[in-house]
Amino acid sequence: MTIEPIAQSHERLLIIDFGSQVTQLIARRLREQNVYCEIHPYQNVDAAFLAEFDPKAVIFSGGPDSVMREGSPRPPRAVYDLGVPIMGICYGQQVMMQDLGGTVEAGEHATAEFGRAYVTKTTAQSDFVDGWFSAEDGREQVWMSHGDHVSKIADGFEVLGTSPGAPFAITADVNRRFYAVQFHPEVHHTPNGAQLYKNFLSIAGFRGDWTMAGYRDQAVAAIREQVGDAKVICGLSGGVDSSVAAALIHEAIGDQLTCVFVDHGLLRMGEAEEVVTMFRDHMNLSVIHAQEQDLFLGALEGISDPEVKRKTIGKLFIDVFQKYADGIEGAAFLAQGTLYPDVIESVSFSGGPSVTIKSHHNVGGLPEKMGLKLVEPLRELFKDEVRALGRELGLPAHFIGRHPFPGPGLAIRCPGEITREKLEILRKADAVYIDQIRKHGLYDEIWQAFVAILPVRTVGVMGDGRTYDYACALRAVTSVDGMTADYYPFSHDFLGETATRIINEVKGINRVTYDITSKPPGTIEWE
Ligand code: XMP
């Protein structure tokens, strides 16, 4: 399976993926330099693919295999005859060396390197390492992760940098513009790594023509061509991805788009009104506000098992979405906010066979059931590019920068049985907490923050009276992708002030705790 590129008019770089855990980071580093790139697993890349893709440069990723193993992953030989610059990283470096006549040896203790290492400059000169080595001591910190190592470099290459375990840490054949590094310049622990990519792109002559303004025009044209005069339905969740997808599609086809916003009664304070007002009144989108609070809350009555809650919400969500979508006559397309990481996952040789459908507010399975085709205008973009595109389309900054919010909403922040009373208390406490975070200028430092209302009431004293009210837990985490997370280190002053405000301002809560669990072992949400 290959991905149909829509970015034909951009200068393109091809990343051939040999299975490294961090290949996506290479793409991130390049996109940050306004260069369009695509990751394709090595099995999908042959001479015909190269001719069609027509890359301006190629990068070989790292990978877990050993080039000394018979049948280990290779690029097609034709890649070396394209006449474009190539950069090999780790496994990619070893592949390049072996393909071009060098030698790779198995790692022994003396040469295997994992973790932080320092590369020292040689006397050889190349634009590839321009501005890279520290001016102070001529060495640079890098992140290594290799067992095997290159023991003889191919003809035409010279050494630009060495490390104790990798005598050929950076090599280059400047005539052919082939560059190879043993370490991973894309990771955080190679602090100056972006400079190497910058140099490589400059050698390859990239102009940096990948911008969200350009993407917007091109995507609008592509959507018009795909959809023609058919109608499109979009499930609006209020999250960034579906919001940006809706705004973009609306720009392309106007009234042919109808959005369905399912209000399950588990949203935060003022959220439904904010989303509907913004899209319907300010952006003139056709939005159906499906007021189904009674349906959802009724079905959830008496349920306290987290999985049963999730399944109940997920199933109802699909039923409700379908009911409203069925009422939109002539709909032929369903819009989805699929992002590039999901696409890579679905085509990578280590990934699953299909796009990962993340959650309940996604309407997985519906397109086939309803005979709808998909419009996925964000499938080339990373999350921060989606945010940039959202700004480009005029969505308000505070909306674009909002913390993620789960499909099942407040249901999974209300352990135990859900009642309307508890949801009301939770909404108020959450609003005070987020207000505190914003007032202290901490919102953007935090990946996600929310209040969970606990299924326990405790005794307190307010004024001269006894109280017997709910306890709540504040949660705030830092994270890059939600897969791992750490609790946010608020000051005691902040926590004290916030607890006081919640207890004073929210009737029904008389005790506030702070959750200091990281993920793992905890999860971010409470259920
Ligand atoms: P956990 O709790 O698994 O959450 O550590 C990781 C991230 O995923 C969000 N989350 C969900 N998002 N549907 C969603 O759309 C869900 O069912 C769901 N469950 C968790 C969570 O808010 C956090 O950002």
Side-chain angles (χ1 to χ4, degrees), residues 1 72 159 206 231 267 280 349 358 360 372 398 504:
M1 175 181 171
S72 55
V159 182
F206 278 94
K231 284 194 179 157
L267 298 165
R280 193 188 273 166
F349 55 90
K358 268 186 213 155
H360 318 71
L372 297 173
H398 82 272
N504 286 345

Side-chain angles (χ1 to χ4, degrees), residues 10 44 116 165 210 237-238 285 298 305 323 326 365 376 401 410 436 454 472 479-480 497 502:
H10 293 279
N44 294 351
R116 184 176 294 127
W210 173 249
S237 70
L285 262 80
D305 181 89
K323 181 177 90 183
D326 278 345
E376 299 178 297
L410 300 181
Q436 277 286 103
L454 306 187
C472 73
S479 177
V480 178
E497 186 184 301
I502 290 176

Side-chain angles (χ1 to χ4, degrees), residues 310 359-361 404-408 412-413 447-448 482 519 523-525:
R310 280 174 174 275
S359 63
H360 318 71
H361 65 241
F405 186 65
I412 57 176
R413 297 176 179 176
W447 158 269
Q448 200 169 9
K519 172 182 180 177
T523 53
I524 296 176
E525 301 290 348

Side-chain angles (χ1 to χ4, degrees), residues 408-469:
L410 300 181
I412 57 176
R413 297 176 179 176
C414 191
E417 197 182 333
I418 299 165
T419 63
R420 285 174 195 263
E421 182 211 8
K422 279 204 241 172
L423 288 175
E424 238 357 83
I425 296 172
L426 175 55
R427 277 192 191 100
K428 287 183 186 147
D430 193 75
V432 174
Y433 180 42
I434 298 300
D435 182 55
Q436 277 286 103
I437 290 175
R438 286 204 188 273
K439 276 198 176 127
H440 284 256
L442 302 173
Y443 191 84
D444 294 337
E445 279 180 37
I446 293 169
W447 158 269
Q448 200 169 9
F450 57 86
V451 176
I453 182 162
L454 306 187
V456 39
R457 295 208 281 173
T458 70
V459 173
V461 53
M462 279 177 90
D464 288 329
R466 174 185 188 272
T467 58
Y468 186 56
D469 282 332

Side-chain angles (χ1 to χ4, degrees), residues 16-55:
I16 303 182
D17 185 17
F18 293 113
S20 162
Q21 298 290 319
V22 289
T23 304
Q24 279 201 35
L25 290 179
I26 304 175
R28 290 294 322 114
R29 297 289 91 83
L30 303 176
R31 297 268 183 109
E32 279 160 17
Q33 315 264 355
N34 296 336
V35 166
Y36 183 76
C37 58
E38 287 183 16
I39 299 172
H40 289 269
Y42 75 96
Q43 301 98 316
N44 294 351
V45 179
D46 56 16
F49 178 94
L50 289 174
E52 194 190 335
F53 193 95
D54 191 23

Side-chain angles (χ1 to χ4, degrees), residues 80 83-86 125-126 155-158 171-179 203:
Y80 301 108
V84 303
I86 305 178
Q125 297 292 321
S126 163
D155 285 348
F157 279 80
E158 58 185 338
T171 58
D173 176 337
V174 289
N175 289 329
R176 285 188 285 183
R177 297 186 296 171
F178 292 167
Y179 304 87
I203 289 166

